[in-house]
Amino acid sequence: LLWSLLAALTAIVAVAAALAMVLSARTAGPIQALTRYTRELGRDLDAPTRRIAGSSEIVELCAAFNRLIDDLKRSRVHLVRASKLAAVGEMAARLAHEVRTPLGIIRSSAQLVDRQAGLDESGHEMMSFMINECDRMNQLVTGLLESARPREPVLAPADVHDIVHQVSDMLRERATARGVTLGWALNAAPSVIDCDRDQLLQVLLNVMLNGIQALGDGGRLQVSSWLDGADLCLAVDDDGPGIPPTRRDEILEPFVSDRAGGIGLGLSIVREIVIMHHGRLAIGDSPLGGARFTICLPRQARAAA
C-alpha cells in the first residue's frame, strides 16, 4: 500500500509538473513575445504592428498596445504638421511686413513708367514683366498668410456647379495654352450646399490648377459630382502621370511640391479648408489613368439646383 501511494503521488507530481510547464509556456511565451515586440517598437516606432497569439488577455493587451502605438503615430504627425504651420505663420508675418510694402511701391512705379508716352515697345515689355512678377510675389505672400491663418468658413447656400464653371472659366486660357482639355460630368442634384463660396472656389482653383500644371500637351482634366448620402462629392480627374500611393499623404503637407518652383502650399491649404468644412479629402487613381482628387462636403441643401 505504501509503495502504491508513493507511485500515485509520484504520478500526480509528474502530471502537475507537466501541466505547470505547459501552462507556463502558454503564458510566459506570449508575454515574452509581447515584451520583445514592445522593445522593438520602442527602438523604432515606424516598425509594422503585429498580433501576438496567446490567451484572450494577451491578445487584448496586444490590441490595446497597437491602438496606443497608432495614436502615438497620429499624434506625431499632428505635431509635425503643427510645427510646420507655426513656422509658416512666423515666416508669413515677417514676409507680409517686409515684402508687401516694397512690392506695392515697385508695382506702382512700374505702372507709372509704363504710362510714359516716350517709352518704346521694349520698355513697355520690361514694365509688364516687373508688374507680373510683383503680382506673382504678392500671390506667394498671400498664400503663406492664408496657410498660416486660415479663417473660419462663413457658411451660406451656394451652387457647387456654378463654382465649378466659374473656376473653369478662370483657368480656360491657361488650360488652352498648355493644350489641356477641360470636361465635366456634374450629376449631383441638388447641387446647392452650405459652404463658404470663396473658400470652396479656392479649393477647386488649387486642385484644378495643380492638375493642369501636371499635364502635358493633349492632357485631359475632368470634374465630376455626385451625391453620397448626406454629402456632395466632387472628383477632379486627369490622365497625367498620377501620384504614387506613398506620396499621397506627403504632398498634402506644407512645403512639399513636385513642381519646379512650387512652394507646396496649395494642397495643404485645400486640406485645411476641407477639414474646416467637416469634409473629406482623398487622393487615388483616376479612371482616366492619372490622379483623382475627391472632395466630399456636407451638403444640407436648401434649394434644388
Side-chain angles (χ1 to χ4, degrees):
L1 179 61
L2 178 60
W3 285 108
S4 298
L5 290 175
L6 288 174
L9 181 61
T10 303
I12 292 172
V13 170
V15 171
L19 289 175
M21 292 178 64
V22 171
L23 292 176
S24 176
R26 291 187 59 184
T27 303
I31 291 178
Q32 291 175 352
L34 183 59
T35 302
R36 290 192 298 269
Y37 175 43
T38 56
R39 288 174 179 170
E40 291 173 4
L41 285 177
R43 291 190 297 266
D44 182 10
L45 191 62
D46 292 323
T49 58
R50 63 175 186 265
R51 299 178 61 183
I52 304 296
S55 62
S56 59
E57 292 81 3
I58 296 295
V59 172
E60 185 176 353
L61 181 60
C62 182
F65 183 74
N66 286 337
R67 289 194 295 270
L68 176 62
I69 293 300
D70 292 337
D71 291 340
L72 285 175
K73 290 180 180 179
R74 283 192 291 268
S75 298
R76 184 178 63 176
V77 171
H78 292 323
L79 285 174
V80 171
R81 186 180 303 161
S83 64
K84 288 184 178 180
L85 291 177
V88 173
E90 184 178 354
M91 185 186 304
R94 294 185 179 183
L95 283 175
H97 178 70
E98 300 293 338
V99 175
R100 271 188 161 173
T101 300
L103 273 180
I105 296 173
I106 294 172
R107 190 181 190 281
S108 299
S109 301
Q111 287 179 322
L112 289 174
V113 174
D114 191 46
R115 297 192 187 103
Q116 299 298 320
L119 200 65
D120 59 10
E121 183 178 351
S122 176
H124 284 295
E125 185 178 3
M126 293 300 297
M127 292 303 104
S128 177
F129 287 156
M130 291 179 62
I131 294 171
N132 290 336
E133 288 302 305
C134 287
D135 290 339
R136 187 175 68 86
M137 291 298 296
N138 188 63
Q139 289 175 0
L140 291 177
V141 174
T142 301
L144 286 171
L145 287 171
E146 290 174 347
S147 64
R149 297 179 301 184
R151 63 173 178 82
E152 288 295 324
V154 180
L155 301 181
D159 193 322
V160 175
H161 292 173
D162 287 346
I163 299 175
V164 171
H165 289 303
Q166 181 180 351
V167 174
S168 300
D169 291 339
M170 294 168 63
L171 296 177
R172 192 180 308 279
E173 183 177 349
R174 182 169 298 190
T176 302
R178 295 182 65 90
V180 175
T181 302
L182 301 180
W184 304 271
L186 305 178
N187 299 316
S191 59
V192 175
I193 68 172
D194 288 340
C195 67
D196 189 308
R197 181 184 178 88
D198 292 338
Q199 289 188 346
L200 184 54
L201 188 145
Q202 183 181 8
V203 165
L204 285 173
L205 185 64
N206 286 349
V207 174
M208 292 177 65
L209 181 59
N210 186 75
I212 292 173
Q213 292 171 340
L215 295 175
D217 189 21
R220 181 183 175 194
L221 187 79
Q222 178 171 293
V223 183
S224 308
S225 71
W226 67 93
L227 298 183
D228 183 13
D231 295 339
L232 185 147
C233 294
L234 289 167
V236 180
D237 294 290
D238 63 60
D239 60 355
I243 302 172
T246 55
R247 293 277 295 162
R248 290 172 184 173
D249 290 332
E250 183 181 0
I251 64 172
L252 297 176
E253 298 293 334
F255 304 118
V256 176
S257 177
D258 292 331
R259 181 171 56 88
I263 60 174
L265 287 175
L267 293 180
S268 66
I269 294 172
V270 167
R271 180 181 59 186
E272 293 301 319
I273 292 176
V274 171
I275 290 175
M276 288 190 297
H277 278 76
H278 304 288
R280 309 187 307 274
L281 172 64
I283 304 175
D285 296 323
S286 168
L288 300 181
R292 161 172 279 203
F293 285 78
T294 304
I295 302 163
C296 293
L297 301 173
R299 54 191 180 98
Q300 300 180 353
R302 299 180 182 176

